[in-house]
Amino acid sequence: MSTNRVEIFDTTLRDGEQVPGCKLDTPNKLIIAERLDELGVDVLEAGFPISSPGDFKSVEAIAKLVKNARVCGLTRAVEKDIEVAAEALKPAKRSRIHTGIGTSDSHIRYKFKSNQDAILERAVAAVRYAKRFVEDIEFYAEDAGRTDNVYLARVCEAVIQAGATVLNIPDTTGYCLPEEYGAKIKFLKENVKGIDKATLSCHCHNDLGLATANSIAGAVNGARQIECTINGIGERAGNTSLEEVVMIMRQQPHLNLHTNINTRLLFDTSRLVSDKMGMPVQPNKAIVGANAFAHSSGIHQDGVIKNRETYEIMDPHDVGVTESAIVLTARSGRAALAYRAKNIGYELDKLQLDHVYEQFLQFADRQKEIKDEDIPKIIKASGI
C-alpha cells in the first residue's frame, strides 16, 4: 500500500444502522454492501454478529457476496463474541475481526469497574484469541479520545505484540478538537514500539460537528485508515461522512493523501442509502445534499454561468451529479433568468429580458421558486 493512500473502512451497515428506525433486513443490506464494494471501500464492516441471529445471517451473507473489500465483523473483548464473528466471516475472501474494549478512565471505572492493568490484560487476551481464527485483527480502544495518551500507547503496544494489525483510535463521544485528535495520533505514531507493524485508524463521531475535521487531522498525522459512513449516519449526531473525507483528500492535493474510492458513484450511493434506511439527506449536506451544487443568489448565479469555478470548488460530475442547478427565486438576477429561459428554447434580447424580468420579480415574490413551466407564463404576461 502506498504510504499516502488512506484506506476507507465503511461502517454504514454496522455503526450507521444503529440509528433508531434505520434497521435493515438482509436483502437490503446486501444491496448496499454490493454498492459499497463497487464504490471501492477497502473494508466493509458488515455488522455485529453476536448481537442477533439476523445480524449473524446478514454478516454471513455479505461475506459470501463481497468480491473486493475486506469484510469485517465487530466483537467485544469476549471469547464467545469472537467465535461467533469468526463463524459468520468464514465465507469471506478476506476477513477481519474487529475487537476491543474501553480504555478511558470513565469506561474503566464506571463501565467495567476495573483498573488499567486488568483492562490491558483483557485487550491482549481478546486479540490473541481472535488471532486463532483470522490473521487480520483490528483493535479498538473505545473512548480513546478521552484516554490518557501514555496509557493508550501502552495498550497499543501490547495489542500489536499480541497480533493486532490495525489500531482503531475512536473519538467515541465526539469530544476532541482537531488539533487534539491529530496530536493523539502523532503521539502514538512516535511513542508506540512496533507501530510500523500496524495501521492507525480514525473513528470519529460528530457530536460537536468535528468528525470530518478530526479524521483529516488524524490522517495528516499518520493514520492510514478512516472509518466512516455514507451520509455520515450513525449514533447520536452521526459518524464521519465518507463522501466528505474522500472529497477533501481529492480537492486538497497538498495533503498528499488519496483513496481508491470511485467518487462518481458518491451521489447515487448517498441516495441509495437514504432510500433503504429511510434517512433523508439534509439539503445543505456537503457533497451530496440537494443544494450542494445549487445557486439562487443573483451574484452567485451570474458568476457560475460565466465560469463554474467562481463559486464551485468541485465539478459536480466528479461526485455523480449531472450539473449545477440555477434555482430561480426573487434573489435571482437577469443572467439566471436568461440562462433558464434559453435552456427551454427562449432567446431573449436585452430589451425583452428587461420586460420579462419585471414580470418575473412579481411572480417570484408570490412563490418560493420559479419552475421551468412558469417561464412561458411569465414571458406571455410580460407582453413580448
Side-chain angles (χ1 to χ4, degrees):
M1 182 176 75
S2 164
T3 55
N4 294 320
R5 182 163 86 82
V6 177
E7 294 202 333
I8 295 299
F9 176 114
D10 184 275
T11 186
T12 302
L13 295 176
R14 199 278 299 170
D15 214 343
E17 203 222 8
Q18 291 176 193
V19 175
C22 284
K23 182 68 179 170
L24 293 169
D25 58 15
T26 298
N28 279 315
K29 283 188 178 183
L30 290 172
I31 291 170
I32 293 174
E34 191 168 35
R35 167 48 64 87
L36 293 172
D37 200 27
E38 184 184 2
L39 182 66
V41 304
D42 299 282
V43 185
L44 196 164
E45 189 164 49
F48 186 5
I50 203 167
S51 64
S52 73
D55 219 40
F56 179 94
K57 176 185 173 186
S58 293
V59 173
E60 187 177 48
I62 291 167
K64 291 176 183 175
L65 172 75
V66 168
K67 295 180 176 64
N68 303 305
R70 194 178 297 275
V71 181
C72 178
L74 183 75
T75 84
R76 296 165 296 182
V78 175
E79 288 189 357
K80 185 63 176 175
D81 281 31
I82 294 166
E83 291 167 9
V84 171
E87 185 64 28
L89 292 167
K90 272 185 179 177
K93 288 189 172 78
R94 297 187 301 151
S95 60
R96 173 183 293 176
I97 290 177
H98 189 190
T99 191
I101 196 166
T103 54
S104 68
D105 287 344
S106 174
H107 279 232
I108 292 171
R109 186 178 306 160
Y110 301 114
K111 184 175 174 181
F112 298 112
K113 299 187 181 350
S114 187
N115 58 70
Q116 289 187 343
D117 289 340
I119 291 298
L120 189 147
E121 288 176 13
R122 288 183 61 180
V124 168
V127 171
R128 281 184 179 150
Y129 193 68
K131 201 75 173 177
R132 296 185 186 184
F133 301 96
V134 299
E135 279 301 310
D136 190 11
I137 308 297
E138 177 167 346
F139 174 81
Y140 63 85
E142 190 176 9
D143 205 20
R146 296 188 296 175
T147 298
D148 171 72
N149 284 352
V150 174
Y151 176 64
L152 184 60
R154 270 184 68 204
V155 173
C156 288
E157 190 168 310
V159 296
I160 289 172
Q161 289 175 357
T165 51
V166 181
L167 302 175
N168 179 6
I169 312 300
D171 185 23
T172 305
T173 59
Y175 173 77
C176 289
L177 296 174
E179 57 266 32
E180 293 171 333
Y181 188 79
K184 188 175 288 282
I185 296 296
K186 187 173 188 287
F187 181 87
L188 297 176
K189 192 80 176 166
E190 293 175 351
N191 290 279
V192 173
K193 186 178 178 181
I195 194 66
D196 56 311
K197 298 175 184 175
T199 299
L200 281 165
S201 181
C202 309
H203 182 114
C204 299
H205 281 261
N206 207 38
D207 298 71
L208 292 175
L210 294 170
T212 293
N214 283 339
S215 295
I216 294 297
V220 166
N221 283 281
R224 285 298 175 264
Q225 179 178 279
I226 291 177
E227 308 193 7
C228 45
T229 62
I230 298 297
N231 300 331
I233 60 171
E235 292 270 9
R236 304 181 313 280
N239 286 52
T240 302
S241 166
L242 181 151
E243 55 275 7
E244 290 174 16
V245 291
V246 166
M247 291 308 294
I248 286 170
M249 286 185 272
R250 181 185 173 111
Q251 296 301 124
Q252 301 285 349
H254 69 279
L255 295 178
N256 197 25
L257 300 170
H258 65 276
T259 73
N260 280 351
I261 295 296
N262 179 357
T263 63
R264 289 180 178 265
L265 295 177
L266 286 174
F267 184 78
D268 190 56
T269 304
S270 165
R271 289 300 177 267
L272 173 68
V273 170
S274 174
D275 176 60
K276 297 300 182 186
M277 289 191 161
M279 282 283 287
V281 178
Q282 65 193 67
N284 63 326
K285 171 74 175 66
I287 317 298
V288 293
N291 294 344
F293 297 96
H295 307 273
S296 64
S297 157
I299 294 172
H300 286 219
Q301 290 173 330
D302 182 54
V304 168
I305 289 167
K306 288 172 178 172
N307 186 318
R308 180 188 57 75
E309 292 182 1
T310 54
Y311 287 101
E312 289 182 356
I313 60 167
M314 291 173 283
D315 185 334
H317 291 92
D318 287 344
V319 300
V321 176
T322 307
E323 61 182 353
S324 305
I326 300 297
V327 181
L328 294 179
T329 71
R331 307 285 80 80
S332 299
R334 287 172 174 77
L337 176 59
Y339 173 83
R340 285 281 295 276
K342 184 177 180 180
N343 282 351
I344 60 170
Y346 293 91
E347 289 273 5
L348 302 173
D349 61 31
K350 186 179 183 305
L351 186 60
Q352 290 173 325
L353 181 59
D354 286 341
H355 287 302
V356 174
Y357 187 68
E358 288 179 19
Q359 196 65 39
F360 162 79
L361 289 176
Q362 294 180 40
F363 269 71
D365 278 335
R366 294 196 297 268
Q367 59 193 72
K368 287 184 178 180
E369 183 180 336
I370 300 297
K371 304 290 186 182
D372 280 351
E373 56 265 29
D374 298 318
I375 294 174
K377 301 174 192 173
I378 294 169
I379 291 174
K380 184 176 180 181
S382 71
I384 67 168

